[in-house]
Amino acid sequence: NAGVTQTPKFQVLKTGQSMTLQCAQDMNHNSMYWYRQDPGMGLRLIYYSASEGTTDKGEVPNGYNVSRLNKREFSLRLESAAPSQTSVYFCASILSLGRSYEQYFGPGTRLTVT
Amino acid sequence: ILNVEQSPQSLHVQEGDSTNFTCSFPSSNFYALHWYRWETAKSPEALFVMTLNGDEKKKGRISATLNTKEGYSYLYIKGSQPEDSATYLCAFSSGGSNYKLTFGKGTLLTVNP
């Protein structure tokens, strides 16, 4: 049981390049999330997927697209990377049991756009 | 946009001190309040999920209280140890079928030996 996994762990891109951040969870969770973490800003929600086949924008979706490929996988795509997208990206998933929700985070992807 | 505030921003204490920090959140449409512990270069680790007004949760030397009517939660650490050094995050949810969390910016705790 690996929990939430993310690839890659580190990435350097040039402005204008594209890339996809991969996230997978093996806990059979319905909901998955992408956050970015910037100094002094805390964790901000980019996109989320409440269930397989659905995706919704979060607080800071501009410049990103997502795909919920199946129940396990939720990918984040940067079509044309910008220096403002330099950040640490965290994927998370939630287990809901009645009124109890526990969110589990992946290890993060550190992205630098030059 | 929901406003979740944490104070203080940072805190330095000596080993053995007890400490507490605050999380303020909207008192309307409350569903749950989450606390996380986040060590540098690691991913956030869940501490507590609190849903009922007056809830108190405890895990070892760490405890938390919840007041949903006035919109605040306190996190307490008794007898701080250097390994407690981390950023403590709270996150608010108003529930719903699309369960989302709005995070505060965190309180950075440094415990000096």
Side-chain angles (χ1 to χ4, degrees), chain A residues 33 35 37 40-43 45 48 50 56-57 59 90 94 98-99 101-103 105-107, chain B residues 1 30-31 34 36 38 42-44 46 49 51-52 89 96-101 103-105:
Chain A
Y33 305 79
Y35 295 93
Q37 187 257 326
M41 299 296 291
L43 282 166
L45 183 64
Y48 66 104
D56 285 286
K57 294 178 181 179
E59 186 185 346
F90 286 96
I94 271 191
R99 198 180 159 79
Y101 293 80
E102 292 188 20
Q103 188 171 52
F105 284 85
Chain B
I1 295 178
F30 175 85
Y31 188 85
H34 296 239
Y36 291 86
W38 194 3
K42 294 187 177 179
S43 53
V49 182
T51 56
L52 299 174
L89 293 172
S97 57
N98 295 333
Y99 195 83
K100 291 189 295 183
L101 293 177
F103 283 83
K105 294 179 182 178

